[in-house]
């Protein structure tokens, strides 16, 4: 596969995202983006039921909703590596993952009153992160490395991402890509590396646009099934 679809290098064990700025120090336009956090509720990550929410998390969330910055700081400290791990697995540049991690928590704080403390905050944070990734891809679509992020996001839509395992299976994606048939692999490469439209992919593969669309659908489904099998095999070990 072309290098644009190579996965990001694993972060060193001591790597942590930059400290999240206090909400009062955030740029004013952050407030205008709070709707992204509300949208996370409908982003495909299901919130956890009340009886699984730890009491200490509930207390922190209630305090954060009252504007308690110390509680917000504890939430950041507790969950920033979860968010960073999700983003880093889907971004080739570590700096991008750090910047978006900061943005996730700023949006979380700005939209804190919309969140129900009876639900686990982790799926909500991952939902915000996913929305931010989509915005990021739209901004940097011309950068070649955006292909990896686009592919990961589309695979995310085929399966519910578990808040506990946001990076699950993505380290196997290069091997799954190599396991595709020639036409499917070429189609994925042309779509996500070269940013070709389906009609252009069809022309290059001597297929109709409809046939190219079906090929892409089957290729993504095959990748999803491959990742599921490999992740399940890891769990069974």
């Amino acid at each position: 596969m072309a290098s644009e679809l190579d996965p990001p290098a694993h972060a060193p064990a001591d790597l942590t995202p930059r400290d999240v700025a206090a909400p009062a120090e955030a740029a004013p336009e952050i407030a205008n983006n709070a709707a992204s956090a509300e949208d996370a509720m409908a982003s495909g990550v299901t919130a956890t039921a009340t009886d699984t929410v730890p009491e200490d998390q509930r207390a922190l969330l209630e305090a954060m909703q009252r504007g308690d910055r110390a509680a917000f700081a504890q939430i950041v400290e507790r969950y920033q590596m979860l968010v960073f791990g999700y983003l880093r697995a889907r971004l080739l540049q570590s700096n991008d993952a750090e910047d978006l991690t900061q943005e996730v928590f700023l949006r979380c704080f700005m939209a804190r009153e919309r969140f129900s403390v009876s639900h686990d905050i982790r799926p909500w944070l991952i939902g915000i992160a996913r929305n931010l990734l989509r915005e990021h891809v739209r901004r940097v679509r011309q950068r070649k490395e955006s292909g990896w992020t686009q592919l990961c996001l589309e695979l995310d839509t085929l399966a519910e991402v578990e808040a506990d395992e946001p990076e699950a299976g993505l380290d196997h994606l290069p091997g799954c890509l190599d396991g595709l048939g020639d036409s499917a692999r070429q189609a994925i490469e042309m779509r996500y590396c070269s940013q070709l439209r389906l009609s252009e992919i069809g022309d290059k593969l001597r297929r109709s646009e409809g046939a190219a669309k079906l090929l892409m659908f089957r290729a993504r489904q095959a990748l999803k099934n491959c990742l599921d099998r490999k992740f399940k095999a890891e769990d069974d070990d």
Side-chain angles (χ1 to χ4, degrees):
M1 291 300 295
S3 60
E4 289 86 352
L5 285 183
D6 286 342
H10 291 294
D14 59 349
L15 177 63
T16 58
R18 294 194 299 272
D19 292 337
V20 176
E25 299 168 4
E29 61 268 21
I30 294 298
N32 296 327
N33 293 329
S36 176
E38 187 173 27
D39 292 343
M41 289 298 193
S43 67
V45 182
T46 305
T48 307
T50 305
D51 59 359
T52 62
V53 178
E55 282 302 318
D56 61 336
Q57 182 188 113
R58 183 193 294 268
L60 282 175
L61 291 172
E62 290 173 345
M64 182 182 73
Q65 287 185 330
R66 295 192 298 269
D68 187 325
R69 295 191 188 178
F72 173 67
Q74 288 185 59
I75 288 171
V76 172
E77 182 178 2
R78 181 176 296 188
Y79 299 113
Q80 66 176 348
M81 290 311 298
L82 172 79
V83 173
F84 179 76
Y86 171 83
L87 293 167
R88 187 67 184 97
R90 291 158 177 80
L91 291 163
L92 294 184
Q93 301 298 325
S94 180
N95 285 344
D96 288 339
E98 292 181 7
D99 290 342
L100 291 185
T101 297
Q102 183 179 61
E103 181 76 5
V104 165
F105 285 100
L106 289 173
R107 292 194 183 190
C108 168
F109 186 84
M110 300 306 299
R112 63 193 183 278
E113 294 179 359
R114 299 186 179 102
F115 182 71
S116 171
V117 298
S118 65
H119 291 92
D120 188 351
I121 194 174
R122 294 171 298 176
W124 195 50
L125 292 172
I126 295 300
I128 297 172
R130 182 182 295 172
N131 286 339
L132 281 168
L133 276 179
R134 291 178 179 135
E135 294 176 19
H136 176 78
V137 167
R138 288 195 292 269
R139 287 196 305 269
V140 303
R141 190 173 291 275
Q142 299 307 313
R143 282 165 47 180
K144 290 183 177 181
E145 64 265 26
S146 70
W148 174 266
T149 303
Q150 287 179 268
L151 179 56
C152 289
L153 280 171
E154 294 196 15
L155 292 175
D156 279 351
T157 65
L158 298 178
E160 184 174 315
V161 177
E162 297 290 341
D164 288 333
E165 297 286 350
E167 305 166 60
L170 284 180
D171 53 333
H172 295 296
L173 184 51
C176 290
L177 286 164
D178 288 340
L180 293 175
D182 289 343
S183 294
R185 190 168 60 251
Q186 289 171 24
I188 290 288
E189 187 176 53
M190 286 187 278
R191 181 75 180 98
Y192 297 103
C193 293
S194 302
Q195 302 288 320
L196 297 187
R197 296 188 295 272
L198 287 172
S199 59
E200 295 172 314
I201 294 172
D203 289 343
K204 289 185 176 295
L205 295 177
R206 300 183 182 277
R207 298 175 182 229
S208 67
E209 182 175 346
K213 182 177 182 179
L214 181 60
L215 178 64
M216 287 294 302
F217 171 80
R218 288 176 173 170
R220 286 192 293 263
Q221 193 65 48
L223 289 173
K224 183 260 182 185
N225 292 339
C226 176
L227 292 174
D228 285 348
R229 287 194 304 271
K230 291 184 179 295
F231 182 58
K232 185 177 185 301
E234 285 182 348
D235 274 355
D236 292 341
D237 288 344

